[in-house]
Amino acid sequence: MVGALDITITKVETSRLKDINLENIPFGRHFTDHMLEADYENGEWKNVEIKPYQPLLLEPSTAALHYGQAIFEGIKAYRSPDGQVSIFRPEDNFKRFNLSAERMNMPVVPEDIFMDGMRMLIHVDREWAPSLPDHSLYIRPFMFASDSMIGVKPSDSYKFIILLSPTGPYYAAPMKIYVEEKYTRAAPGGVGFAKNAGNYGGSMLATAMAKKQGYDQVLWTDAFEHKYLQEVGTMNVFFIAGNTAITPSLEDGTILAGVTRDSAIVVLKEMGLDVVERKISVDELIELHKKGGLREVFGTGTAATISMIKELKYKDYVMNFDTDNAATARELKKRLTAIREGKAADTHGWMVKVNG
Ligand SMILES: *Cc1c(COP(=O)(O)O)cnc(C)c1O
C-alpha cells in the first residue's frame, strides 16, 4: 500500500469499536483503537509506530507544557457509497503543518511519515470510518516539543502523533457574532497564519466574554485599528454581496489559510459568483448592509464546513441575516459535502484514497 516507510505496527487484541455507536457520535470525544507516533531526536525522525491508543508518559518538565511549541492539523476522511475511505485534501494540510512547524522553529515532518503514516493508520482503523451521511473520520496530526528541560530555547526533541476520531454531523446553528474591538487574535509578524496551540489558548477569553453577552463567537479585527476583518472564531469568513463573495486576503499573515476557505473559493466560482480576496473593513460592511447589499455572512472550516451567521453586532449597530434563505451558503455546503462523501465527481482531485 505504501512505499518505503519503516514503521512498526502493533495492533490491539480486541477492538473497542463494538462498544461504540457511530451514529451521531459527538465531535472529538472518542478515539479509534490505534495512533501513530514518531520521535525527532538528534536531527532525525525515528521510532515510527502505529500502536494501541494509549496515554503518554511525560516528564513534568516537558518543554511544550511550558513554552507552547505545539502545532496541529484537522483533516477529515469520508466513506463513499462504494465503501472506499478517502481523505479530503490531506496534501494541503501536510504543507500547512510544515509551514506552522517552520514558524514555530520546529523540525518539518517528512511526507512519508505524515501522508503514508496517516493512510496506514486509517487503513488499520478503517472499520471506524462511519458510512452515515454527514459523518466522517476526523484526523488530528500534532507535534510538540518533548525536551525535559525548562531552559528557554527551542527543543532538541519533538513528538509527532496522529489520532483518529469518528464524528457525527456537526450541527452548527446559525451564529450570533460580536465584532471584537479589544482582544486581538493575530498581528503582522506574529503566528496567526500558523496552526499552533497557543492561538487557540489566546482566543478563549474573548470567546467566553462574547458568550456571556449572548454571542456565539467573535469576529476578529486587525490589531492596530480594530477595523479590518480577519476571521470568525476559528473559521475563515465570507461575505456575500450581490453576486460577489468577499473574503479577507492572506498577505498580512494574520489569517489561517483554511483548506475549506480555498475549496469554497473554487466552488463559489463554479457557482457563478465573483470571488474577491481583499481587505474589508467593518465600516465598508456596514455601508453594504445599509444599502441592502449584504445578503449572507458565513464561516468555513473543517469541523463544521459552513457555519451561517444570523447576527453581526458592531458597537450599537446590529446586522441581521435571513439564514433560512441563505441560498449561497446552503448550495456551497451541499456541493462540498457531495464531493467529500463521494456522491459528486471529484473534478479537482481533492479526494485521496486510503488504499491505492
Ligand atoms: C483551522 C483553522 C481554520 C480553518 O481551516 P480549515 O483548513 O478550513 O479547517 C480557520 N481559522 C483558524 C484560526 C484555524 O485554526
Side-chain angles (χ1 to χ4, degrees):
M1 189 182 78
V2 280
L5 180 61
D6 182 9
I7 185 163
T8 312
I9 301 182
T10 313
K11 290 193 185 172
V12 295
E13 280 176 17
T14 41
S15 171
R16 285 180 280 106
L17 183 55
K18 61 186 184 323
D19 304 324
I20 288 183
N21 178 7
L22 293 180
E23 191 171 343
N24 293 324
I25 190 165
F27 177 78
R29 253 187 256 163
H30 297 277
F31 299 93
T32 62
D33 288 322
H34 301 89
M35 61 198 253
L36 179 140
E37 198 175 314
D39 294 312
Y40 182 86
E41 283 161 14
N42 302 321
E44 60 176 341
W45 285 98
K46 51 176 85 158
N47 311 332
V48 189
E49 262 188 286
I50 287 173
K51 61 186 191 181
Y53 179 92
Q54 59 191 269
L56 301 170
L57 193 61
L58 296 173
E59 300 257 358
S61 56
T62 297
L65 299 177
H66 300 267
Y67 306 125
Q69 258 189 312
I71 60 169
F72 67 97
E73 271 302 326
I75 311 170
K76 278 181 173 176
Y78 299 81
R79 192 185 289 280
S80 54
D82 65 2
Q84 173 76 246
V85 179
S86 303
I87 316 164
F88 184 69
R89 304 191 66 173
E91 283 276 348
D92 296 83
N93 297 89
F94 164 65
K95 288 179 192 143
R96 187 171 72 191
F97 189 78
N98 279 341
L99 269 181
S100 301
E102 277 174 24
R103 178 62 186 85
M104 299 302 288
N105 203 52
M106 301 165 89
V108 295
V109 173
E111 182 158 6
D112 59 349
I113 297 180
F114 193 102
M115 294 294 295
D116 298 344
M118 171 167 45
R119 287 166 67 200
M120 286 174 93
L121 178 64
I122 297 172
H123 184 71
V124 169
D125 279 336
R126 62 194 174 280
E127 296 303 323
W128 288 79
S131 51
L132 297 151
D134 293 325
H135 288 59
S136 58
L137 189 64
Y138 183 80
I139 306 159
R140 168 52 61 90
F142 65 106
M143 171 167 51
F144 62 89
S146 55
D147 276 7
S148 307
M149 228 282 286
I150 56 169
V152 181
K153 67 168 194 56
S155 185
D156 289 324
S157 56
Y158 295 85
K159 207 175 255 306
F160 173 68
I161 294 177
I162 305 178
L163 304 178
L164 303 177
S165 175
T167 175
Y170 193 104
Y171 175 69
M175 298 186 295
K176 284 176 72 176
I177 303 293
Y178 175 88
V179 180
E180 182 61 57
E181 291 183 276
K182 178 177 176 189
Y183 300 109
T184 299
R185 193 195 83 88
V191 292
F193 67 91
K195 215 166 173 78
N196 72 312
N199 283 345
Y200 279 62
S203 72
M204 290 196 184
L205 178 62
T207 312
M209 302 286 271
K211 286 212 163 122
K212 263 192 200 157
Q213 297 179 58
Y215 294 87
D216 298 295
Q217 273 296 349
V218 302
L219 180 55
W220 297 104
T221 53
D222 73 278
F224 302 119
E225 298 178 84
H226 287 300
K227 280 211 170 298
Y228 291 96
L229 306 170
Q230 294 180 338
E231 301 197 52
V232 56
T234 56
M235 285 183 288
N236 295 115
V237 65
F238 284 78
F239 306 99
I240 309 294
N243 195 46
T244 303
I246 306 166
T247 191
S249 42
L250 305 175
E251 73 274 3
D252 285 346
T254 52
I255 289 170
L256 198 291
V259 177
T260 320
R261 175 188 180 277
D262 188 70
S263 310
I265 289 172
V266 171
V267 172
L268 286 167
K269 284 181 184 164
E270 288 173 352
M271 287 164 54
L273 278 87
D274 298 319
V275 185
V276 189
E277 296 175 65
R278 64 167 169 87
K279 280 188 194 289
I280 177 165
S281 70
V282 65
D283 296 331
E284 183 185 349
L285 204 65
I286 288 171
E287 280 310 302
L288 274 170
H289 183 258
K290 283 188 173 154
K291 283 190 276 178
L294 189 61
R295 290 196 284 120
E296 296 176 39
V297 182
F298 56 85
T300 65
T302 294
T305 310
I306 308 289
S307 280
M308 295 189 200
I309 291 170
K310 66 176 178 190
E311 182 184 319
L312 263 185
K313 184 176 163 43
Y314 176 64
K315 298 190 196 290
D316 292 330
Y317 191 76
V318 177
M319 296 172 250
N320 287 297
F321 303 97
D322 178 6
T323 51
D324 289 336
N325 292 301
T328 305
R330 187 153 298 128
E331 177 67 16
L332 174 62
K333 180 160 190 176
K334 202 177 103 189
R335 290 191 187 206
L336 282 173
T337 304
I339 295 170
R340 302 203 290 190
E341 294 185 352
K343 293 167 186 162
D346 174 24
T347 51
H348 307 289
W350 283 342
M351 303 308 296
V352 173
K353 287 183 177 142
V354 167
N355 295 303

